[in-house]
Amino acid sequence: MTAPRIATLLAAGQPGSSVIVRGWVRTRRGSKRVNFLAVNDGSCLESLQVVAAENLPNFDEVQRITTGCSVEIQGLLAASEGQGQRVEVQASRVTVLGWAEGDAYPLQKKGHTLEFLRQIAHLRPRTNTFGAVFRVRNVLGDAVHRFFQDRGFLWAHTPIITASDCEGAGQMFHVTTGAGPDAFFGRPVSLTVSGQLEGELLATALGAIYTFGPTFRAENSNTPRHLAEFWMVEPEVAFLDLAGDMDLAESFLRAIISAVLDRCGADLAFLQERFEPTLIPTLEHIVASEFVRLSYTEAIALLEASGEAFEFPPRWGADIQTEHERWLTERHIRRPVIVHGYPREIKAFYMRQSDDGRTVAAMDVLFPRIGEIIGGSQREERLDRLRSRIREMGMSEDALSWYLDTRRFGTVPHAGFGLGFERAVQFVTGMSNIRDVIPFPRTPGNADF
Ligand code: 4AD
Ligand code: MG
């Protein structure tokens, strides 16, 4: 029999009904006559209070239950007299499914640091913090699918093993059986850094698609915003230009943040209290405010005029750094900013070249606290322009012949973007380190679990 989840019992369980509850004991307290177990099953932040009295045949066993034990409880739901909770369970049977070795269980006390919990990432999902983060992550992922499915986008699965380096940044993990880089596929292959190029093949046939899957980057950047393995959401849409792409990104971000506000009230309140005092008002503010659109040239001018002592002085032609992104979104404009029209020299080969000869139809969505959360562009749909850019950048036209075919045969304007899913989870949970929003983070030097 499937037991109802504790979230359901707490919200809607009828006093007087008999129930079975399964979960892990967070705490046990009480006297020689009656014990109170706080049982959590991961379905919600709250634990369910179980009252276990001395008339239980195994009451001596109950008194030996420690934090972390797994239990199955049979009993009667009763209106709770205690503080906070609507219902509790009066146990008629308590079965210990698994003991937890008493003091050896690492999650005894509250208040472990996030750094310590990262070292026990196999157990940290059992804490309030990580339960909350992973429930919010789930709702955010579901909201991604709902947003696109409601608008007729097809979820497309692009390859993880690939021979193409979409972003051209040379940060790929090579895949080999050990018999040599070419042995299995007859050519060197890597883990994908982005599903975009294959996404374009599908969008120029199916109209509107999105990918939602893992991507890999061998960036040696040990920052609170980079992972070697992260999830990306990449919509790609035929007959869309840059302005439409920015509109899509903005309505998408608003929709998924609203879904979290609607569905994760208790977890957000907990995360706000623990980690980010302005979390909920900030999310509400983002949902309500229009994102500001700013050309790259205007953004550089603002940064130059700011009088700030940046580590990297802003300069037309150079990339906008995290410190610049944060100044724009947190200090100056105080809401999300979409910067568009970047210099072509600092962007990937596939972006549409502007008439000015210096910029491309690229856009980045910058968020307070996070910096770049989305990167996207209108793609170069003109065969001759795309070819000459590929040649200029010293790339192989041959290796990209399949990609160029979309421009040879029935080319259309099209655009898309990539959302760094963990950066979005960081934003909605208020967690300051990206390693704390993915269950088992991969970063330079770390691939445990
Ligand atoms: O800006 P990026 O490199 O864009 C692309 O890969 C395009 N092909 C997307 C597209 O147009 N379809 O990456 C997209 C986003 C970034 O804005 C950032 O949020 C996230 O992916 N990202 C990372 N997140 C975590 N760890 C990393 N190492 C990341 N690198 C990029
Ligand atoms: Mg980018």
Side-chain angles (χ1 to χ4, degrees), residues 167 194 196 217 219 227 234 372-375 379 417 420:
E167 295 306 303
S194 158
Q196 179 196 320
R217 294 193 187 179
E219 280 172 295
L227 290 165
E234 294 186 277
E372 179 190 338
I373 196 163
I374 276 181
R379 321 307 187 187
F417 61 78

Side-chain angles (χ1 to χ4, degrees), residues 107-179:
L107 295 173
Q108 304 288 345
K109 293 178 204 71
K110 290 186 180 161
H112 289 303
T113 65
L114 293 171
E115 288 74 17
F116 171 74
L117 291 172
R118 249 170 251 151
Q119 293 164 23
I120 53 163
H122 58 303
L123 294 173
R124 69 179 182 169
R126 299 181 183 201
T127 62
N128 281 339
T129 296
F130 287 91
V133 168
F134 298 146
R135 281 187 297 271
V136 172
R137 182 180 170 114
N138 166 66
V139 167
L140 195 70
D142 182 53
V144 166
H145 284 297
R146 286 190 199 203
F147 177 86
F148 289 121
Q149 294 293 328
D150 285 350
R151 286 162 183 75
F153 286 59
L154 307 189
W155 182 21
H157 302 112
T158 50
I160 286 172
I161 297 176
T162 176
S164 74
D165 177 357
C166 173
E167 295 306 303
Q171 298 163 333
M172 304 186 84
F173 288 103
H174 298 292
V175 177
T176 158
T177 58

